[in-house]
Each structure stands twice: as C-alpha cells, then as structure tokens.
Amino acid sequence: MQNIVDQMFNGKKVTKTGHEKLVFDTSLELAESYDIVFDEDQLVPSDTTMADRAYLAALDLVETAGFFTTGTNRIVKPERYELIDSMQNARSSVTLGEGVDSTSIHFREILDKRMPSIWGGPCSAPASDEYYAPIHRSYAKLRAMAMLSPASMVNSFKGALLSTPMELYSAYRSIEMVKNACTLENRPKMCYSTPPSIGDIRASLSIANEIITGKETMHEIYNAVDMKVNVDSITKSIHYGRMGLPYLSDQIVILGGNTVETPEQLAIVIIAEAFKSKVINGADIYFSSPADSETGASSTAKTLWASGISSLALTTNSKILHGLDIVNTAGPCTEMMFYETAVQTISATVCGVDMLAGPAPNSMQMIDHAGGLDALFMLEMAELATNLSFEDANNLCNKLYKKYSKHLNRPEIGKHFIECYDVNKIEPTPEYSEMHNKVLNEVYNLAGQ
C-alpha cells in the first residue's frame, strides 16, 4: 500500500484527457490485436479462449496506461507480476453475519451448479425517508435473500448534503432504517452493504465500526470511472483493513463514455478495473456495474456480451470474488423489468458470477420504484440458470431479449412502491404477484422446464 500511495503523489504526471485518450486508443488496439470480437447473438458468450485473450488485453492495458489519480494527476502503474499475484492470491470465500442470518460467499466456476449469492435490493436507486424502511422490509422478508443491497436515501434536508454535517446524519439515518427493516422481519443480523448515499469520507469512516454497523456489514468503495483512483478510496481501504472489516469495490464502466466506445473495449476495461479493485484497493470483492450510455442500464446486447466475456475471463484466470449489479431500464410491476432481469441473471450465472445485486429499476432514476418481488424473480432465474448449458442459456436469453429490446429507449416506467405493495402487510399486490407468476411460467416454458 505504501508504494501505491507514493505513486499517487510522486508518479508520472499527466493530464486527465491525455490519460483518457491513452486508455481509449490502447484498449481499441488491444481488442483488434487480441481478436476480441462482439457477437450480438451471443448474449451468453461461451468462448473461453476469447475470454482468456481479453484477460491478457486487460493486463496489457494496465501495464501501458496505469491508473490516473484524481487530484494529483499522477499515474499509479503496478508491475505485471503484482497484478497477476493479486488476482491469484485473492480470498475465494467471505463469511458475513452471525447465527441464522450469516451467509458465505464462495468463488464459483463456469456452469457451476451452485447458486450465486443473491443481494436483493434497490441497489443504489433512490428512496425517500418515508418509504425507505418499508421498501427494504420487502426484501428482508424474503428468507432466500442472502444480503440487502440498499437504496440511496433522498433526504428531506433543504440544500446540498455533500461535505456537510447532514451527510453524516443521512449516513446514520439510512443505516438505522436498514437495520430496523431487518429487525422488523425477524432478521436482526441480516447482512447488508452500506447504503450508497454515504459519499463523504468522514461519514464513511465514522460508521465503519462494530458499534454502528456490526459484523454483518459489507462496506463499499465507489471508485472513479475511466480507470481512475482517488486518495479517499485508499484512505477507506487502509481503515477497513486495519479495522478488520470486509469491503468491496463497486465499479461503474460506461459504454459510450470517455474511454469506452465499443463492447470489446467495455469487456477489457471491466477486467482492468477488477485489477484496480484488488491491487490498488485490496478489496475482498469486486462488483462490476456496466452501463450503456444510451439507456443508463446494463441490459443491452452490448453490455450483456461484455459482462459475460469479462466474467468468463475473471472466473478462468483468477480467484477473485466478483459480482454484477443488475440495472434495468423498466420499473417495478412491468413485464419488461422481469424480462431484463431474467436475461442478465441467466447470462451472469452461467458465466460464473459469484454475486448478483439488485435488480435496480428505471436506470436508478425513479424515487421509490422498488419491490422485493423483483429480487425474488432474480433468485428464481439464477436457480434456473444453474441447470442450463451455454447453448440452452443463450437460446433462452435471445428469446427473452426480443421481448424487451425494441423498448429499451422508451421503457415501461412501472409503479411506485405503494402501488406494488400493501405497505401495512409488506406484501405484493395481487396484480404484481400475478404478473410475476405469469412471466415466471413463461420463462420456464421457453426453457423447456
């Protein structure tokens, strides 16, 4: 870690735009030289040799461009052997929580018959003070959920929260509500990741102790996009490590952003960011959150293919625990959201992902659009996928993709939580339940199950 910090302040100085151009040009050249080619018909890619080439391309990308430090404009460039060793020597399992609510996360293989760990929740989508607790109760109520992936809290405080005392208040308040939701559903030690609304470094460090968050909590580092690092993320890494707290690195990679224009580049950069999570941040878990700039979600053919290739690459070439944030364009209580969830879940499960979080609705833009039934459907799709071959999974995903792909730019908005659930009983409405059962049966029929 000392060497990393030294490079952040004393490494080669470059401009932000110069580094972004280097990442863009290098990843584009590597995709061509390593013969990495997007196939829109392979929503569930099975070419492990191409995945291996993508892994090598990611190694070359990091070795060439390194990671840009925001604030100091310096490059952090780990040695190639450090990158390889960090991925091979990663922890292959993590156990969280206590008693009946404890859960273990294990490294999965390609076509693994074991289920990925299911982290149900709004997954960073916004939720209001008024409905924050009942929304999370709808997930905690489902005993099959291993963990909670909370919403971002939309605070009623008038004015900017960032770097003010109110951000610390918001951090305490959101954690209090998550814990209360779990307790009310008789799961007081249910595992959860820290609410993503906690952005300020002081607030993050204040809550990172067993008195506030307990042993059941997975802390999070949200890294800068476009192969960048920042000093705060290293501060968190050191603190979490010294406190003996498990933590993950969640990374957004944007197709159509400053450094990624093609799905081939997207796959390479997703893998490169996994190196960052391990060798720079030392995180226990890497979560990828690919987003297509045209939709703001991860359910397009390009993002699905890139996610699949990167997962195959990480599964066959490393021991790193890696997960996927499932982000949909449609909202709750719509068939479209169920279809988007199904395709992403099936593809990720078959390709060896260890954890699935979400599903997040409406490209994470609509307040209080969430409900536990969508997470249950995600679990059911993962269970189905553990019994599928690559060919069967791909055929099924192509059929389901056709049901929503034409609507990606004009998705179904869906409904508010109080329209999807009986708030007093924390139970889905008959309409929501019927829609879930209808789509579930339809998917099983298409799969020949």
Side-chain angles (χ1 to χ4, degrees):
M1 186 65 72
Q2 185 174 344
N3 180 48
I4 297 298
V5 175
D6 180 63
Q7 290 186 62
M8 293 178 81
F9 289 92
N10 301 301
K12 180 182 177 182
K13 195 161 190 176
V14 300
T15 64
K16 172 177 169 287
T17 54
H19 181 260
E20 288 175 348
K21 186 177 187 305
L22 178 60
V23 172
F24 181 91
D25 292 343
T26 304
S27 59
L28 201 60
E29 293 169 3
L30 288 168
E32 183 176 356
S33 62
Y34 277 101
D35 193 25
I36 301 166
V37 182
F38 166 59
D39 184 346
E40 64 181 354
D41 293 324
Q42 291 294 312
L43 300 179
V44 186
S46 57
D47 191 342
T48 56
T49 59
M50 184 186 293
D52 292 342
R53 297 196 300 273
Y55 191 85
L56 293 174
L59 273 171
D60 288 354
L61 176 60
V62 176
E63 194 172 37
T64 300
F67 300 105
F68 178 84
T69 308
T70 59
T72 68
N73 292 9
R74 306 281 182 172
I75 293 296
V76 178
K77 191 180 292 186
E79 297 289 339
R80 193 178 185 92
Y81 77 87
E82 293 179 288
L83 298 170
I84 296 171
D85 287 351
S86 68
M87 303 293 270
Q88 289 296 329
N89 295 321
R91 293 174 63 180
S92 58
S93 65
V94 173
T95 299
L96 299 169
E98 299 177 90
V100 295
D101 288 321
S102 67
T103 186
S104 295
I105 303 159
H106 297 285
F107 182 85
R108 297 175 67 249
E109 303 290 347
I110 295 170
L111 297 175
D112 203 314
K113 295 299 182 184
R114 296 171 299 170
M115 286 274 290
S117 180
I118 304 296
W119 298 21
C123 197
S124 298
S128 65
D129 283 22
E130 183 177 4
Y131 295 108
Y132 198 88
I135 283 173
H136 289 88
R137 284 184 66 184
S138 74
Y139 296 92
K141 193 180 187 77
L142 303 171
R143 291 300 188 265
M145 293 295 111
M147 283 187 63
L148 269 178
S149 182
S152 294
M153 175 174 282
V154 179
N155 202 284
S156 58
F157 175 69
K158 305 301 181 183
L161 290 180
L162 188 62
S163 300
T164 73
M166 288 306 299
E167 186 163 13
L168 180 58
Y169 171 81
S170 179
Y172 285 131
R173 179 71 174 146
S174 55
I175 288 173
E176 179 183 85
M177 285 187 173
V178 169
K179 294 173 77 170
N180 185 51
C182 294
T183 299
L184 287 172
E185 296 303 329
N186 296 314
R187 303 187 70 182
K189 294 297 182 180
M190 183 180 184
C191 306
Y192 62 92
S193 54
T194 48
S197 51
I198 305 169
D200 184 74
I201 182 66
R202 294 166 297 179
S204 295
L205 298 184
S206 295
I207 65 165
N209 62 74
E210 290 190 11
I211 295 175
I212 304 298
T213 47
K215 294 180 179 179
E216 64 270 20
T217 311
M218 173 64 76
H219 294 270
E220 298 195 63
I221 293 173
Y222 294 94
N223 262 307
V225 299
D226 298 320
M227 292 187 64
K228 295 181 179 68
V229 296
N230 59 62
V231 175
D232 282 355
S233 74
I234 301 300
T235 302
K236 288 182 181 181
S237 297
I238 293 172
H239 180 72
Y240 297 153
R242 292 297 183 184
M243 294 289 288
L245 301 171
Y247 62 100
L248 63 84
S249 172
D250 198 307
Q251 184 67 57
I252 296 174
V253 185
I254 303 172
L255 176 66
N258 293 335
T259 59
V260 176
E261 186 178 70
T262 70
E264 294 88 350
Q265 287 175 298
L266 181 63
I268 293 170
V269 173
I270 289 173
I271 301 165
E273 295 286 17
F275 288 119
K276 182 175 76 180
S277 76
K278 207 66 198 166
V279 75
I280 305 293
N281 293 114
D284 298 293
I285 288 171
Y286 168 62
F287 255 97
S288 169
S289 186
D292 191 320
S293 61
E294 292 186 3
T295 64
S298 53
S299 58
T300 66
K302 292 177 180 178
T303 53
L304 283 160
W305 177 87
S307 291
I309 285 291
S310 60
S311 181
L312 291 177
L314 292 172
T315 301
T316 57
N317 291 278
S318 78
K319 292 299 181 184
I320 187 173
L321 292 169
H322 65 284
L324 176 68
D325 294 322
I326 291 183
V327 183
N328 298 320
T329 61
C333 205
T334 66
E335 291 186 7
M336 182 174 176
M337 179 156 170
F338 283 126
Y339 293 137
E340 288 182 90
T341 297
V343 173
Q344 293 180 78
T345 301
I346 292 166
S347 178
T349 301
V350 169
C351 292
V353 159
D354 307 308
M355 297 142 291
L356 293 167
N362 302 113
S363 302
M364 298 189 287
Q365 298 300 310
M366 299 290 289
I367 299 174
D368 295 333
H369 272 222
L373 195 57
D374 281 299
L376 177 62
F377 184 77
M378 181 173 73
L379 181 148
E380 291 164 335
M381 291 298 97
E383 189 173 41
L384 169 64
T386 59
N387 295 309
L388 299 177
S389 66
F390 273 122
E391 182 180 4
D392 290 340
N394 190 58
N395 288 337
L396 176 59
C397 285
N398 273 288
K399 292 175 184 177
L400 296 172
Y401 185 72
K402 290 177 182 177
K403 292 180 177 291
Y404 73 82
S405 57
K406 67 180 75 172
H407 305 294
L408 281 167
N409 291 318
R410 297 188 66 182
E412 300 176 56
I413 294 175
K415 297 184 177 182
H416 188 283
F417 177 72
I418 61 174
E419 299 175 281
C420 298
Y421 267 78
D422 180 323
V423 180
N424 295 319
K425 297 179 180 179
I426 314 293
E427 291 181 357
T429 63
E431 178 193 4
Y432 197 12
S433 294
E434 288 169 12
M435 185 178 293
H436 162 266
N437 293 335
K438 173 181 177 294
V439 177
L440 183 65
N441 289 331
E442 181 182 4
V443 174
Y444 268 82
N445 286 334
L446 288 173
Q449 301 275 325

